[in-house]
Amino acid sequence: MVATANIQYAWTLFVPEIQETFGWERASIQIAFTIFVLVQTWLAPIEGYFIDKLGPRLMVAFGAVFIGTAWVINSQATSLMGFYLGAAIGGIGVGSIYATCINNALKWFPDRRGLAVGLTAGGYGAGSAATILPIAAMIDSAGFQETFFFFGLLQGSLAFVAAWFLRSPKVGEVKASNKLNQSRRDYTLTEALGTKLFWLMFLMFICVVTGGMMAVAQLGVIAQDLGVKEFQVDLYFFVMAALPLALMLDRVMNGISRPLFGWISDHIGREKTMVIAFTLEGLGIIALGAFGHNPWAFLILSGVVFLAWGEVYSLFSALAGDAFGTKHIGKIYGVLYTAKGIGALFVPVGNLLMEATGTWSTVLYTVAGMDLFAAFLAVTLLPRTLKAHVARSTLATPSAEKPTTASAHA
């Protein structure tokens, strides 16, 4: 997961160099990033089918070849179509690795799914932290083409080697948790899509991920409009502009958020943890709109927003494993994960809303409303829907058979 992180998180370092070299408009270059996100998310159900069929080793090895190839293509590209192709191949590679690792964590640790998935997803969320500076330094010294080529081969090779150490649990190797509300049978994708619980989770996922992606994607512009972008933050041992420091906080908080809230959810339940996280996210965004013109408030509140946003990738995947079992979780979570793709399509709406109203406050309050609506659903509909779903799944287990976890079939 760490080896795949730069495909998404280090892209921003290359964009100014690509623009300077070829003279293309930044908006045209950034289409590559949109292609990457859409391919990574919208192909997740197909990747999920192959994960369930082929197992983790082949899927991660396949993804590793693709993430390496993506940056090698970028290193040779001389047209926008070349970068778009690299983005699409990178999206397939990252999607294959990301979905496989998440699904394998769900299968191995039924009583600690939140923490296991959170740590796994945290590898992706914070994985670029150690390589951002080396990549930036190599771009300065050797150019962006050489950097794409070198790190493409390095990252692809690391993920390829790691692939062969993965396996799914064998029959009877893990048992269901007695602490959490978990289904005692495995749902197929068709069965999962026929439940109210799946579509409630899907709606909540869209609300939270859209709000977070809007805030993250527009943070630079928001900082500029609030007048804090160039403010020099003096922390005694170093001085840094407010925006880069906020972006560094994004990486750190994103990495901490996933295992932290996942661990909390293992102890108090997914629903209560969602209420806490989504409410914190909504209130943090409202406060950012109200007090973000103060540089210190901007830093602190952006950190809160990032902390409360990253957890969606551990909480929803863990809840999906709890609710639908893990025999077919690759396909089921693959469809659920397309919520991120839908959220990406809504991100440009933030620009339109800002242009129509003349202020980012409108955008921030809108996405905060989406977060708080998701929190409302988590405290009202989700607990009773999940409880009824688990009760039905227990009754549906054939009496002649022992109730089994999905992981027992993995």
Side-chain angles (χ1 to χ4, degrees):
M1 291 286 265
V2 170
T4 65
N6 281 324
I7 306 291
Q8 175 172 337
Y9 289 108
W11 170 254
T12 186
L13 298 175
F14 292 93
V15 174
E17 304 299 321
I18 296 171
Q19 184 178 27
E20 185 178 338
T21 301
F22 297 106
W24 302 320
E25 291 183 0
R26 184 164 294 196
S28 299
I29 300 170
Q30 288 289 32
I31 289 174
F33 186 77
T34 303
I35 291 171
F36 164 80
V37 173
L38 293 178
V39 170
Q40 185 213 351
T41 53
W42 285 99
L43 290 184
I46 298 173
E47 292 157 355
Y49 168 81
F50 285 105
I51 292 166
D52 292 337
K53 190 177 182 64
L54 301 176
R57 288 177 182 169
L58 290 178
M59 283 302 294
V60 172
F62 169 83
V65 172
F66 269 59
I67 65 169
T69 302
W71 272 23
V72 170
I73 289 174
N74 286 350
S75 73
Q76 305 299 314
T78 56
S79 67
L80 282 170
M81 287 306 299
F83 286 103
Y84 296 165
L85 175 63
I89 290 175
I92 294 171
V94 171
S96 298
I97 293 173
Y98 186 95
T100 305
C101 292
I102 292 294
N103 292 330
N104 217 38
L106 288 173
K107 291 177 179 180
W108 271 106
F109 305 102
D111 56 341
R112 293 186 295 276
R113 274 191 185 129
L115 177 60
V117 173
L119 288 169
T120 307
Y124 185 75
S128 63
T131 49
I132 285 290
L133 292 179
I135 287 176
M138 188 170 179
I139 290 174
D140 289 338
S141 62
F144 76 88
Q145 289 100 336
E146 288 291 327
T147 308
F148 267 136
F149 188 81
F150 174 78
F151 277 92
L153 292 180
L154 176 65
Q155 292 162 178
S157 299
L158 287 172
F160 188 82
V161 170
W164 305 104
F165 292 91
L166 292 171
R167 72 173 177 88
S168 295
K170 296 175 182 177
V171 174
E173 200 165 358
V174 294
K175 296 181 180 179
S177 170
N178 294 318
K179 298 185 300 179
L180 295 163
N181 236 351
Q182 293 185 346
S183 172
R184 290 301 189 268
R185 76 176 183 91
D186 298 307
Y187 284 72
T188 65
L189 175 60
T190 303
E191 289 172 334
L193 294 178
T195 65
K196 293 179 182 177
L197 177 62
F198 180 90
W199 294 107
L200 176 60
M201 290 169 61
F202 193 68
L203 173 62
M204 292 170 62
F205 203 162
I206 291 173
C207 287
V208 182
V209 83
T210 301
M213 288 181 73
M214 276 190 186
V216 171
Q218 310 294 353
L219 188 67
V221 185
I222 292 169
Q224 185 171 7
D225 288 354
L226 291 173
V228 300
K229 182 179 179 181
E230 303 298 336
F231 178 81
Q232 295 297 306
V233 179
D234 188 351
L235 296 176
Y236 298 105
F237 48 93
F238 75 95
V239 178
M240 183 180 289
L243 180 59
L245 187 55
L247 292 173
M248 281 184 64
L249 273 177
D250 172 16
R251 304 292 187 272
V252 175
M253 293 301 184
N254 219 336
I256 293 173
S257 170
R258 302 175 192 206
L260 173 63
F261 282 102
W263 175 78
I264 292 171
S265 75
D266 288 335
H267 290 80
I268 68 171
R270 318 291 181 214
E271 315 95 287
K272 293 177 182 176
T273 309
M274 286 180 174
V275 175
I276 295 168
F278 301 165
T279 302
L280 182 63
E281 170 83 352
L283 295 178
I285 291 176
I286 290 172
L288 186 63
F291 307 110
H293 57 275
N294 181 295
W296 290 102
F298 176 82
L299 278 174
I300 294 169
L301 293 171
S302 61
V304 170
V305 169
F306 293 137
L307 177 68
W309 177 61
E311 95 294 327
V312 293
Y313 302 109
S314 57
L315 293 184
F316 282 102
S317 55
L319 182 58
D322 291 344
F324 305 114
T326 56
K327 185 176 181 181
H328 306 287
I329 192 62
K331 294 185 283 289
I332 295 170
Y333 184 63
V335 175
L336 188 64
Y337 190 67
T338 60
K340 182 181 176 182
I342 295 173
L345 293 176
F346 279 118
V347 167
V349 175
N351 284 327
L352 298 176
L353 194 58
M354 187 271 174
E355 291 170 6
T357 61
T359 173
W360 279 107
S361 295
T362 312
V363 180
L364 293 173
Y365 295 150
T366 300
V367 297
M370 296 170 71
D371 287 317
L372 294 175
F373 176 64
F376 174 76
L377 293 177
V379 80
T380 54
L381 283 181
L382 183 60
R384 65 171 180 260
T385 305
L386 178 62
K387 185 177 180 180
H389 172 85
V390 171
R392 281 193 300 272
S393 75
T394 304
L395 291 173
T397 304
S399 57
E401 295 177 4
K402 267 187 178 181
T404 58
T405 66
S407 48
H409 297 278

